[in-house]
Amino acid sequence: MAATAFEQLLQRVADVIASASTPAGPRVVRHQADDEWSPEDCPLVFVRRGATRRMATAPIGMLDHELTVFVHHLVSGAAWEAAADELHHAVHGALCGSAELQSLGIELTATETRAQSGSTTLGELAASYRIAVRTDTTLNLVS
């Protein structure tokens, strides 16, 4: 079965990040549970799907959606907030530098941080992005 437009866009976001020059390098994944990372994995970025909202503006035979994409920036160490901010800044620059994602109106809508203490502090900066998606009625990407 072919991937839906939403999965295609999520993979495109991950590909843009993986090909960019960020502190995470190629450590960008699409499918990972929140608790499946350790200090040895860091820095790491993972991309996951958030809410999808259908809009009422599409022509007949098409659907307009607003897709929320979560980009998790995972880091470790005592200076985790600075490391997370540096990683997020690089990732954000890559996403905003993508002509394809810009044509879909990618927009940063929020960020949130959290940390876990232990022998090494694990920190996360989660960023929410909104992307406009036009599909046909079978959820194939139109534009």
Side-chain angles (χ1 to χ4, degrees), residues 35-64:
D35 60 352
E36 291 182 0
W37 55 286
S38 67
E40 296 78 32
D41 298 324
C42 296
L44 171 74
V45 175
F46 80 91
V47 177
R48 69 181 178 90
R49 182 177 175 171
T52 305
R53 188 173 69 140
R54 183 168 171 208
M55 311 300 280
T57 58
I60 293 174
M62 293 183 209
L63 304 172
D64 280 344

Side-chain angles (χ1 to χ4, degrees), residues 2-142:
T4 66
F6 309 115
E7 284 299 314
Q8 292 173 43
L9 280 174
L10 290 164
Q11 187 58 55
R12 181 66 186 130
V13 167
D15 291 346
V16 165
I17 297 168
S19 66
S21 178
T22 73
R27 290 181 302 278
V28 179
V29 295
R30 266 281 295 119
H31 304 284
Q32 180 157 338
D34 288 342
D35 60 352
E36 291 182 0
W37 55 286
S38 67
E40 296 78 32
D41 298 324
C42 296
L44 171 74
V45 175
F46 80 91
V47 177
R48 69 181 178 90
R49 182 177 175 171
T52 305
R53 188 173 69 140
R54 183 168 171 208
M55 311 300 280
T57 58
I60 293 174
M62 293 183 209
L63 304 172
D64 280 344
H65 304 272
E66 185 178 272
L67 172 65
T68 300
V69 177
F70 294 111
V71 179
H72 298 266
H73 308 79
L74 310 175
V75 296
S76 63
W80 73 268
E81 286 181 291
D85 190 59
E86 177 185 2
L87 179 56
H88 169 63
H89 185 67
V91 167
H92 182 73
L95 295 175
C96 290
S98 165
E100 178 184 8
L101 295 178
Q102 282 300 307
S103 74
L104 297 171
I106 190 168
E107 176 184 17
L108 176 66
T109 59
T111 61
E112 182 178 328
T113 59
R114 67 182 178 142
Q116 282 181 323
S117 295
S119 59
T120 301
T121 301
L122 298 173
E124 172 186 6
L125 187 153
S128 301
Y129 288 87
R130 183 175 45 223
I131 300 177
V133 183
R134 177 163 285 171
T135 70
D136 63 18
T137 55
T138 60
L139 300 182
N140 290 312
L141 189 61
V142 173

